[in-house]
PDB file of all heavy atoms in Angstrom:
ATOM      1  N   PHE A 270      -2.620   7.858   1.420  1.00 82.00           N
ATOM      2  CA  PHE A 270      -2.206   7.584   2.848  1.00 82.00           C
ATOM      3  C   PHE A 270      -0.703   7.550   3.048  1.00 82.00           C
ATOM      4  O   PHE A 270      -0.061   8.216   3.918  1.00 82.00           O
ATOM      5  CB  PHE A 270      -2.867   6.241   3.438  1.00 82.00           C
ATOM      6  CG  PHE A 270      -2.358   5.925   4.626  1.00 82.00           C
ATOM      7  CD1 PHE A 270      -3.080   6.568   5.835  1.00 82.00           C
ATOM      8  CD2 PHE A 270      -1.407   5.047   4.933  1.00 82.00           C
ATOM      9  CE1 PHE A 270      -2.544   6.240   7.124  1.00 82.00           C
ATOM     10  CE2 PHE A 270      -0.987   4.773   6.171  1.00 82.00           C
ATOM     11  CZ  PHE A 270      -1.583   5.301   7.314  1.00 82.00           C
ATOM     12  N   ILE A 271      -0.098   6.839   2.046  1.00 81.00           N
ATOM     13  CA  ILE A 271       1.411   6.712   2.097  1.00 81.00           C
ATOM     14  C   ILE A 271       2.020   8.063   1.908  1.00 81.00           C
ATOM     15  O   ILE A 271       2.916   8.514   2.597  1.00 81.00           O
ATOM     16  CB  ILE A 271       1.893   5.798   1.025  1.00 81.00           C
ATOM     17  CG1 ILE A 271       1.557   4.308   1.386  1.00 81.00           C
ATOM     18  CG2 ILE A 271       3.429   5.847   0.947  1.00 81.00           C
ATOM     19  CD1 ILE A 271       1.785   3.308   0.298  1.00 81.00           C
ATOM     20  N   ARG A 272       1.669   8.827   0.793  1.00 81.00           N
ATOM     21  CA  ARG A 272       2.046  10.183   0.653  1.00 81.00           C
ATOM     22  C   ARG A 272       1.873  11.115   1.865  1.00 81.00           C
ATOM     23  O   ARG A 272       2.852  11.726   2.278  1.00 81.00           O
ATOM     24  CB  ARG A 272       1.491  10.803  -0.571  1.00 81.00           C
ATOM     25  CG  ARG A 272       1.933  12.240  -0.944  1.00 81.00           C
ATOM     26  CD  ARG A 272       0.884  12.929  -1.810  1.00 81.00           C
ATOM     27  NE  ARG A 272      -0.288  13.197  -1.152  1.00 81.00           N
ATOM     28  CZ  ARG A 272      -1.520  13.237  -1.612  1.00 81.00           C
ATOM     29  NH1 ARG A 272      -1.582  13.064  -2.937  1.00 81.00           N
ATOM     30  NH2 ARG A 272      -2.606  13.480  -0.925  1.00 81.00           N
ATOM     31  N   ASP A 273       0.699  11.111   2.370  1.00 84.00           N
ATOM     32  CA  ASP A 273       0.451  11.932   3.503  1.00 84.00           C
ATOM     33  C   ASP A 273       1.190  11.568   4.744  1.00 84.00           C
ATOM     34  O   ASP A 273       1.746  12.479   5.491  1.00 84.00           O
ATOM     35  CB  ASP A 273      -1.107  11.944   3.776  1.00 84.00           C
ATOM     36  CG  ASP A 273      -1.918  12.545   2.899  1.00 84.00           C
ATOM     37  OD1 ASP A 273      -1.329  13.192   1.899  1.00 84.00           O
ATOM     38  OD2 ASP A 273      -3.144  12.281   2.865  1.00 84.00           O
ATOM     39  N   GLU A 274       1.370  10.267   5.082  1.00 80.00           N
ATOM     40  CA  GLU A 274       2.282   9.857   6.209  1.00 80.00           C
ATOM     41  C   GLU A 274       3.646  10.232   6.035  1.00 80.00           C
ATOM     42  O   GLU A 274       4.329  10.762   6.992  1.00 80.00           O
ATOM     43  CB  GLU A 274       2.073   8.387   6.352  1.00 80.00           C
ATOM     44  CG  GLU A 274       0.831   7.819   7.022  1.00 80.00           C
ATOM     45  CD  GLU A 274       0.583   8.419   8.396  1.00 80.00           C
ATOM     46  OE1 GLU A 274       1.531   8.205   9.298  1.00 80.00           O
ATOM     47  OE2 GLU A 274      -0.434   8.965   8.759  1.00 80.00           O
ATOM     48  N   MET A 275       4.192  10.033   4.779  1.00 79.00           N
ATOM     49  CA  MET A 275       5.534  10.448   4.617  1.00 79.00           C
ATOM     50  C   MET A 275       5.828  11.947   4.662  1.00 79.00           C
ATOM     51  O   MET A 275       6.793  12.271   5.226  1.00 79.00           O
ATOM     52  CB  MET A 275       6.069   9.807   3.254  1.00 79.00           C
ATOM     53  CG  MET A 275       6.088   8.380   3.207  1.00 79.00           C
ATOM     54  SD  MET A 275       6.631   7.643   1.727  1.00 79.00           S
ATOM     55  CE  MET A 275       8.416   7.829   1.948  1.00 79.00           C
ATOM     56  N   THR A 276       4.886  12.740   4.264  1.00 81.00           N
ATOM     57  CA  THR A 276       4.886  14.168   4.246  1.00 81.00           C
ATOM     58  C   THR A 276       4.859  14.651   5.679  1.00 81.00           C
ATOM     59  O   THR A 276       5.638  15.530   6.210  1.00 81.00           O
ATOM     60  CB  THR A 276       3.844  14.811   3.392  1.00 81.00           C
ATOM     61  OG1 THR A 276       4.077  14.400   1.978  1.00 81.00           O
ATOM     62  CG2 THR A 276       3.989  16.298   3.426  1.00 81.00           C
ATOM     63  N   GLU A 277       3.817  14.151   6.459  1.00 79.00           N
ATOM     64  CA  GLU A 277       3.418  14.629   7.758  1.00 79.00           C
ATOM     65  C   GLU A 277       4.654  14.368   8.653  1.00 79.00           C
ATOM     66  O   GLU A 277       4.923  15.175   9.590  1.00 79.00           O
ATOM     67  CB  GLU A 277       2.222  13.956   8.259  1.00 79.00           C
ATOM     68  CG  GLU A 277       1.836  14.304   9.642  1.00 79.00           C
ATOM     69  CD  GLU A 277       0.513  13.505  10.195  1.00 79.00           C
ATOM     70  OE1 GLU A 277      -0.252  13.298   9.343  1.00 79.00           O
ATOM     71  OE2 GLU A 277       0.419  13.342  11.355  1.00 79.00           O
ATOM     72  N   HIS A 278       5.378  13.239   8.548  1.00 73.00           N
ATOM     73  CA  HIS A 278       6.401  12.953   9.598  1.00 73.00           C
ATOM     74  C   HIS A 278       7.790  13.093   8.925  1.00 73.00           C
ATOM     75  O   HIS A 278       8.637  12.750   9.559  1.00 73.00           O
ATOM     76  CB  HIS A 278       6.185  11.315   9.857  1.00 73.00           C
ATOM     77  CG  HIS A 278       4.969  11.045  10.473  1.00 73.00           C
ATOM     78  ND1 HIS A 278       4.638  11.304  11.848  1.00 73.00           N
ATOM     79  CD2 HIS A 278       3.912  10.456  10.091  1.00 73.00           C
ATOM     80  CE1 HIS A 278       3.549  10.884  12.224  1.00 73.00           C
ATOM     81  NE2 HIS A 278       2.916  10.344  11.105  1.00 73.00           N
ATOM     82  N   ASN A 279       7.814  13.970   7.852  1.00 74.00           N
ATOM     83  CA  ASN A 279       9.105  14.226   7.249  1.00 74.00           C
ATOM     84  C   ASN A 279       9.903  12.784   7.116  1.00 74.00           C
ATOM     85  O   ASN A 279      10.992  12.758   7.495  1.00 74.00           O
ATOM     86  CB  ASN A 279       9.930  15.277   7.884  1.00 74.00           C
ATOM     87  CG  ASN A 279      10.938  15.799   7.076  1.00 74.00           C
ATOM     88  OD1 ASN A 279      10.891  15.837   5.859  1.00 74.00           O
ATOM     89  ND2 ASN A 279      11.939  16.466   7.699  1.00 74.00           N
ATOM     90  N   TYR A 280       9.262  11.913   6.561  1.00 70.00           N
ATOM     91  CA  TYR A 280       9.752  10.466   6.538  1.00 70.00           C
ATOM     92  C   TYR A 280      10.865  10.304   5.508  1.00 70.00           C
ATOM     93  O   TYR A 280      10.727  10.687   4.434  1.00 70.00           O
ATOM     94  CB  TYR A 280       8.591   9.543   6.321  1.00 70.00           C
ATOM     95  CG  TYR A 280       8.835   8.135   6.486  1.00 70.00           C
ATOM     96  CD1 TYR A 280       8.784   7.599   7.871  1.00 70.00           C
ATOM     97  CD2 TYR A 280       9.231   7.219   5.511  1.00 70.00           C
ATOM     98  CE1 TYR A 280       8.986   6.282   8.066  1.00 70.00           C
ATOM     99  CE2 TYR A 280       9.392   5.856   5.795  1.00 70.00           C
ATOM    100  CZ  TYR A 280       9.314   5.469   7.082  1.00 70.00           C
ATOM    101  OH  TYR A 280       9.481   4.090   7.266  1.00 70.00           O
ATOM    102  N   ASN A 281      11.930   9.501   5.924  1.00 68.00           N
ATOM    103  CA  ASN A 281      12.997   9.149   5.096  1.00 68.00           C
ATOM    104  C   ASN A 281      13.112   7.582   5.319  1.00 68.00           C
ATOM    105  O   ASN A 281      13.303   7.226   6.494  1.00 68.00           O
ATOM    106  CB  ASN A 281      14.264   9.898   5.448  1.00 68.00           C
ATOM    107  CG  ASN A 281      14.097  11.303   5.055  1.00 68.00           C
ATOM    108  OD1 ASN A 281      13.797  11.600   3.924  1.00 68.00           O
ATOM    109  ND2 ASN A 281      14.503  12.248   6.095  1.00 68.00           N
ATOM    110  N   LEU A 282      13.250   6.835   4.121  1.00 61.00           N
ATOM    111  CA  LEU A 282      13.518   5.513   4.315  1.00 61.00           C
ATOM    112  C   LEU A 282      14.907   5.292   4.774  1.00 61.00           C
ATOM    113  O   LEU A 282      15.815   5.874   4.263  1.00 61.00           O
ATOM    114  CB  LEU A 282      13.223   4.756   3.033  1.00 61.00           C
ATOM    115  CG  LEU A 282      11.718   4.793   2.480  1.00 61.00           C
ATOM    116  CD1 LEU A 282      11.633   4.311   1.135  1.00 61.00           C
ATOM    117  CD2 LEU A 282      10.926   4.126   3.508  1.00 61.00           C
ATOM    118  N   THR A 283      15.183   4.236   5.697  1.00 60.00           N
ATOM    119  CA  THR A 283      16.514   3.974   6.215  1.00 60.00           C
ATOM    120  C   THR A 283      17.153   2.807   5.396  1.00 60.00           C
ATOM    121  O   THR A 283      18.420   2.672   5.583  1.00 60.00           O
ATOM    122  CB  THR A 283      16.505   3.758   7.672  1.00 60.00           C
ATOM    123  OG1 THR A 283      15.641   2.657   7.931  1.00 60.00           O
ATOM    124  CG2 THR A 283      15.977   5.007   8.347  1.00 60.00           C
ATOM    125  N   LEU A 284      16.507   2.005   4.801  1.00 51.00           N
ATOM    126  CA  LEU A 284      17.083   0.846   4.150  1.00 51.00           C
ATOM    127  C   LEU A 284      17.040   0.993   2.685  1.00 51.00           C
ATOM    128  O   LEU A 284      16.100   1.567   2.000  1.00 51.00           O
ATOM    129  CB  LEU A 284      16.290  -0.523   4.599  1.00 51.00           C
ATOM    130  CG  LEU A 284      16.429  -0.758   6.033  1.00 51.00           C
ATOM    131  CD1 LEU A 284      15.538  -2.004   6.277  1.00 51.00           C
ATOM    132  CD2 LEU A 284      17.837  -0.939   6.435  1.00 51.00           C
TER     133      LEU A 284
END
Side-chain angles (χ1 to χ4, degrees):
F270 177 78
I271 292 171
R272 181 199 63 213
D273 292 347
E274 284 294 308
M275 293 182 82
T276 301
E277 180 180 331
H278 298 288
N279 197 22
Y280 192 79
N281 292 308
L282 296 172
T283 58
L284 297 175

